[in-house]
Amino acid sequence: MSTKRIVAIAVVLVAFAGGWLYAGRTPLVDGTKVVMYQNPACGCCSKWAAHMEANGFTVEIHKTDQLNSIKERAGITPETAGCHTSMVDGYLVEGHVPAREVARLLSDRPEIKGITVPGMPMGAPGMEGSQADRYDVLAINHAGNTQVFASY
């Protein structure tokens, strides 16, 4: 094989890999199952699920009128509560957390209960619109304390 041909193949492979990563689809998360519990009347939860699926996750949706009791059993307080509650590979993911932070959680595997975006900030995945609020993704440790995991 000529050097020119090897370089051309390498360029194509690097471009393909870069596009794959840019799309948020990495072998680490590709197909990882997200189990999401949401209020049956909520529309933004479905938009968050679509965001997660666009970034390589598989989302299993459970619509329930018992969302508050699910949050309580998971240890979610009113201060850490988001719109919907999800479980991903043993971690709690509460609210409109960007897929990039869920991928980082799975990659780094910190000793925490999970991550949350409290409330429903405009501009977070599933809450897109004409306005974008600044918001934090918080890590929740096993004692229920929080610290900033990422800022947007």
Side-chain angles (χ1 to χ4, degrees):
M1 217 183 234
S2 72
T3 304
K4 244 184 183 177
R5 190 168 185 79
I6 292 171
V7 168
I9 290 170
V11 167
V12 169
L13 289 174
V14 167
F16 177 77
W20 185 264
L21 291 172
Y22 180 76
R25 300 178 69 92
T26 65
L28 177 66
V29 300
D30 207 28
T32 298
K33 185 177 182 179
V34 175
V35 178
M36 180 180 78
Y37 298 91
Q38 73 171 77
N39 182 307
C42 188
C44 64
C45 301
S46 298
K47 291 179 183 178
W48 181 80
H51 162 77
M52 295 299 286
E53 288 177 340
N55 284 279
F57 292 89
T58 301
V59 182
E60 178 182 298
I61 299 172
H62 297 273
K63 296 184 179 194
T64 178
D65 290 324
Q66 304 302 313
L67 191 56
N68 286 337
S69 64
I70 290 170
K71 289 179 186 299
E72 281 180 31
R73 282 194 306 265
I76 297 298
T77 64
E79 296 77 28
T80 59
C83 184
H84 47 269
T85 301
S86 303
M87 295 302 296
V88 183
D89 199 21
Y91 285 104
L92 172 71
V93 177
E94 176 74 8
H96 293 273
V97 176
R100 173 173 48 184
E101 302 311 329
V102 178
R104 185 174 136 216
L105 175 71
L106 297 177
S107 173
D108 295 354
R109 306 235 27 112
E111 289 291 324
I112 61 173
K113 181 186 299 190
I115 54 180
T116 182
V117 170
M120 298 172 67
M122 293 303 299
M127 294 295 296
E128 294 86 358
S130 60
Q131 163 187 339
D133 298 332
R134 297 186 57 76
Y135 65 93
D136 290 327
V137 177
L138 304 177
I140 306 170
N141 69 20
H142 293 288
N145 300 314
T146 61
Q147 66 182 44
V148 174
F149 188 79
S151 294
Y152 287 82

